Amino acid sequence: MPIFREQVKKMTLKDYLTKLKIGLPKTMVHLDKQVYEAGSVINGTIEITGGMLKNRIKRYDIDLVGIDSKAFVEETLNSHSVFCSLECSPNQTGKISFFIDVPDDIKKDQNTFQYSLMINIDLGNANNITQNVPIMIGAVS
């Protein structure tokens, strides 16, 4: 009687760490101002410090999101996506600059509406880095 053996995929240490999301790069978002006005431009930088393993950034998305806390509705007000191929080496730091417009007709009631930048960095190996940065929208001065 023949014995059939299943081929078992061997998982390397790198595959295992990636699957457990260990050693991924770390991000820090820096913005040019504390408070923005309707019709202004958000100027920011994403600082990426490489993790334990070498990664490649395939795409990054930046969304300006408004949340109506009374109606529990979330709306994307502006979006910016960039397809790229940036290398992220271990223990090295790189910067990505970005600009995103604040719409002219944005609602400014801070008691009802909350705003944030949702930043998603796609590493292409089924891993993403997601960061939520609160934004203050004030009246035109």
Side-chain angles (χ1 to χ4, degrees):
M1 188 158 143
I3 298 175
F4 295 98
R5 292 186 181 184
E6 286 186 34
Q7 285 189 340
V8 178
K9 181 182 177 189
K10 294 182 182 178
M11 187 176 284
T12 64
L13 179 60
K14 179 181 176 183
D15 295 335
Y16 188 68
L17 291 175
T18 301
K19 191 172 187 87
L20 293 176
K21 298 187 181 221
I22 296 174
L24 291 179
K26 305 288 184 232
T27 60
M28 176 75 67
V29 178
H30 305 282
L31 301 176
D32 63 334
K33 294 193 266 184
Q34 297 289 326
V35 179
Y36 293 92
E37 302 166 353
S40 66
V41 175
I42 298 172
N43 180 4
T45 304
I46 304 169
E47 186 176 308
I48 302 171
T49 303
M52 293 175 14
L53 304 171
K54 188 179 203 179
N55 285 290
R56 185 163 295 281
I57 298 171
K58 302 288 184 179
R59 183 183 87 220
Y60 61 93
D61 305 309
I62 302 167
D63 299 328
L64 176 60
V65 176
I67 302 165
D68 184 346
S69 57
K70 287 186 178 177
F72 301 107
V73 175
E74 182 177 303
E75 178 183 4
T76 302
L77 305 170
N78 202 347
S79 185
H80 181 74
S81 296
V82 176
F83 291 91
C84 59
S85 182
L86 301 172
E87 190 172 289
C88 190
S89 298
N91 300 321
Q92 290 188 351
T93 301
K95 294 182 180 184
I96 299 172
S97 296
F98 66 90
F99 299 98
I100 192 162
D101 295 325
V102 177
D104 291 327
D105 59 348
I106 197 164
K107 297 175 181 83
K108 298 177 202 76
D109 184 8
Q110 292 295 327
N111 296 327
T112 306
F113 294 94
Q114 298 173 343
Y115 300 98
S116 63
L117 288 178
M118 295 294 295
I119 298 171
N120 184 46
I121 299 172
D122 183 2
L123 298 174
N125 55 4
N127 284 318
N128 291 341
I129 300 170
T130 303
Q131 191 165 1
N132 184 353
V133 181
I135 299 291
M136 295 289 294
I137 306 290
V140 177
S141 50

